[in-house]
Amino acid sequence: MSKFVIVVGLLAFFSACTLFGSDKKSTAIARVNSDYLYPEDITNLVPKGLSKEDSVIIVRSFIDRWASKKLLIKVAEVNLSAKKKAAFDTLVQQYKIDLYTKAYLEEIVKRTTDTIISEKELRSYYNENKENFKTNGTLVRLRYISLRKDNPKYEVIKSKFFDFRKSDKKFWDNYTLQLNSFALNDSIWTELNQVYAKLRFITPDNREEYISPGKSIQKTEGDDSYLVKISNVIDKNQIAPFHYLKPTLKEVILNKRKLELIKKFEKEITDDAIKEKKYEVYK
């Protein structure tokens, strides 16, 4: 620890350090060899409202870690072989190149990619590639409600549920407040695991009893009653339906556009460099 000197004024010192002299070294709060740590390096380190004692602990801990890292890199530079250091320098340089080019290309893509995808394009892509979109598990379309079995309007609600009509929207707007839980939109495809989570009386062991197209279910669990109507089922390894895949299709098409744009940009920048004689390949 004799190789570095820590000079800390801590909290009272930090406010005074806003007036820097011409010699910045005199305002440093720590030094390791020729590297200095300044108050501005820890400006946002201490959260507001923290006690002086806790602030001192946080600042000192940060300074100690900073010093340790500086000392370790010096030791590593001395003790690692030239071959290893050269290999690491190459990796660092390549990482820098990758970071810069990736960030730049992302900016280009963000500014120029057309993000509007028509329904026609989505359906066209789906029809051409749907064999590649198989289900990983069972998908279900259903509606369900859960309510107290002693609800005075139970029979009316049950009748409306199993004879479901769009014209009954006002009825459901009035009565959904009386339900424990519900999902009335049976046009949405749901993964079977989500059905297990919502309707706990349905399990992997008894799924064949309940999960089949057109199935109507009335199940009592304690004081609650579940009414369920299964509209449709698609089993595992079947072609996934268009509406279920729609968000995924959008992402796939957007990524495809981005890759095509990047390839086009890379070709254009190379062609321009050749034209302006900035890029040549020597035979």
Side-chain angles (χ1 to χ4, degrees):
M1 301 292 287
S2 61
K3 287 189 177 179
F4 70 99
V5 176
I6 298 178
V7 181
V8 187
L10 297 176
L11 297 179
F13 175 77
F14 299 154
S15 58
C17 282
T18 55
L19 300 173
F20 293 104
S22 58
D23 184 7
K24 282 197 75 180
K25 290 181 182 179
S26 65
T27 67
I29 56 175
R31 178 182 68 82
V32 172
N33 296 319
S34 60
D35 293 314
Y36 290 84
L37 185 69
Y38 296 98
E40 59 265 34
D41 296 325
I42 58 172
T43 301
N44 300 315
L45 182 63
V46 179
K48 291 182 179 178
L50 211 61
S51 69
K52 182 176 180 180
E53 292 76 12
D54 289 338
S55 299
V56 169
I57 291 170
I58 289 174
V59 172
R60 181 54 188 262
S61 177
F62 176 86
I63 293 172
D64 287 344
R65 289 196 305 274
W66 173 85
S68 295
K69 289 178 181 177
K70 292 294 182 183
L71 292 168
L72 280 171
I73 188 64
K74 290 293 183 184
V75 172
E77 287 173 347
V78 170
N79 290 281
L80 284 176
S81 68
K83 185 177 180 181
K84 272 196 173 182
K85 286 192 287 186
F88 287 140
D89 287 343
T90 301
L91 286 174
V92 168
Q93 182 60 27
Q94 186 58 51
Y95 184 57
K96 179 182 177 181
I97 291 169
D98 291 343
L99 280 178
Y100 277 42
T101 54
K102 184 175 183 290
Y104 179 62
L105 287 172
E106 283 176 354
E107 283 298 316
I108 294 293
V109 166
K110 190 188 296 183
R111 290 201 303 264
T112 56
T113 301
D114 180 7
T115 57
I116 297 173
I117 304 171
S118 67
E119 186 81 1
K120 182 179 178 181
E121 185 176 1
L122 285 170
R123 285 195 175 276
S124 176
Y125 190 86
Y126 172 75
N127 290 330
E128 291 172 8
N129 299 277
K130 59 185 177 182
E131 290 295 332
N132 298 324
F133 295 106
K134 298 291 182 70
T135 55
N136 294 321
T138 300
L139 298 177
V140 183
R141 276 173 47 197
L142 58 76
R143 64 179 183 271
Y144 83 89
I145 60 174
S146 168
L147 72 163
R148 297 277 298 182
K149 66 182 180 183
D150 58 1
N151 187 299
K153 294 289 187 179
Y154 179 84
E155 289 300 325
V156 175
I157 292 172
K158 183 177 80 169
S159 174
K160 290 284 188 182
F161 177 81
F162 286 118
D163 185 21
F164 199 80
R165 299 180 185 181
K166 289 184 178 179
S167 57
D168 289 332
K169 182 180 183 302
K170 189 174 180 181
F171 171 87
W172 290 111
D173 287 344
N174 291 332
Y175 280 95
T176 47
L177 291 175
Q178 298 183 26
L179 305 178
N180 298 331
S181 61
F182 63 93
L184 296 174
N185 187 355
D186 59 2
S187 66
I188 298 172
W189 289 97
T190 304
E191 294 178 2
L192 189 54
N193 285 337
Q194 294 179 20
V195 177
Y196 294 149
K198 293 289 185 182
L199 305 173
R200 296 196 177 274
F201 64 89
I202 303 177
T203 68
D205 293 331
N206 66 19
R207 60 153 285 183
E208 296 297 330
E209 178 185 349
Y210 294 109
I211 305 299
S212 60
K215 180 82 173 180
S216 297
I217 303 166
Q218 184 176 345
K219 179 75 174 177
T220 300
E221 293 269 293
D223 294 328
D224 297 325
S225 179
Y226 291 86
L227 306 178
V228 186
K229 179 68 176 182
I230 308 292
S231 297
N232 207 348
V233 180
I234 294 179
D235 288 320
K236 185 178 180 180
N237 291 326
Q238 302 300 309
I239 294 173
F242 171 75
H243 286 288
Y244 177 74
L245 285 174
K246 203 169 180 180
T248 302
L249 294 172
K250 285 182 179 179
E251 286 300 314
V252 170
I253 291 172
L254 275 177
N255 286 334
K256 186 168 176 284
R257 286 181 183 178
K258 289 174 183 178
L259 288 173
E260 288 172 351
L261 184 64
I262 289 170
K263 285 181 181 177
K264 181 183 176 184
F265 179 73
E266 287 175 341
K267 185 177 186 305
E268 286 176 353
I269 203 171
T270 303
D271 290 345
D272 287 345
I274 292 171
K275 189 183 297 182
E276 295 172 11
K277 300 192 182 303
K278 293 179 180 179
Y279 169 44
E280 294 178 279
V281 177
Y282 301 113
K283 294 181 180 179

